[in-house]
Amino acid sequence: MRALIQRVSEARVTVEGAVLGEVGPGLLVLICAMRGDGPAQAEKLAAKIAKLRIFQDAEGRMNRSVRDLGGAALVVSQFTLAADTRSGNRPGFSTAAPPEIGEELYEYFAARLQAEGVSVATGRFGADMKVALVNDGPVTIWMDSEA
């Protein structure tokens, strides 16, 4: 699985003008299941993200996790993280998991992150979502369960 993690002051996702998920200080996690991924990859990534120390401590060093803060995570599915741009000008997405597997792993990832002690809000898999955020820092981290 691939994830793009952004430390945020706030973030929200809307579909057709309705807010589906919203968080204050914490993380925006854009997540993509790749072909061949399964529950093990979702568990590994959720555990790593819950413990990722990208929030400042009293000395101003990135030494605290979202879990340490009592922060929340907005988890949004984004198959475009699987983009292959090696040839041509139009990205290919053949490395993304098929939609039915992608949705299952997206939901499983969100549940595993919640089980790691992080409050989780979500978008809607496959929907045309609008994501608004205030990136804090800015801090943006790319993660891959296979890296």
Side-chain angles (χ1 to χ4, degrees):
M1 292 187 84
R2 289 185 179 165
L4 185 72
I5 300 114
Q6 295 181 296
R7 187 177 76 185
V8 298
S9 299
E10 60 185 63
R12 90 179 142 279
V13 61
T14 60
V15 174
E16 297 176 1
V19 175
L20 295 184
E22 189 169 23
V23 298
L27 302 173
L28 170 62
V29 181
L30 304 173
I31 191 86
C32 176
M34 305 296 288
R35 282 198 185 276
D37 283 345
Q41 286 77 21
E43 290 170 10
K44 178 180 178 182
L45 207 52
K48 182 82 171 173
I49 290 170
K51 296 177 223 161
L52 187 64
R53 298 184 325 181
I54 61 172
F55 292 90
Q56 293 182 344
D57 63 15
E59 286 81 43
R61 295 179 44 211
M62 284 201 271
N63 208 20
R64 300 179 72 207
S65 70
V66 67
R67 197 165 58 183
D68 295 336
L69 277 180
L74 176 58
V75 178
V76 177
S77 63
Q78 188 166 358
F79 81 94
T80 59
L81 291 178
D84 181 354
T85 59
R86 289 178 290 179
S87 75
N89 295 317
R90 182 172 178 263
F93 302 103
S94 62
T95 58
E100 58 280 358
I101 294 171
E103 183 173 13
E104 182 180 312
L105 288 173
Y106 161 69
E107 290 172 1
Y108 187 69
F109 170 83
R112 292 307 311 153
L113 190 57
Q114 181 91 34
E116 289 284 339
V118 179
S119 178
V120 173
T122 61
R124 182 182 304 146
F125 186 89
D128 180 16
M129 296 176 278
K130 307 299 181 214
V131 180
L133 69 135
V134 177
N135 191 321
D136 179 20
V139 174
T140 302
I141 310 269
W142 167 265
M143 294 181 78
D144 191 311
S145 62
E146 298 307 307

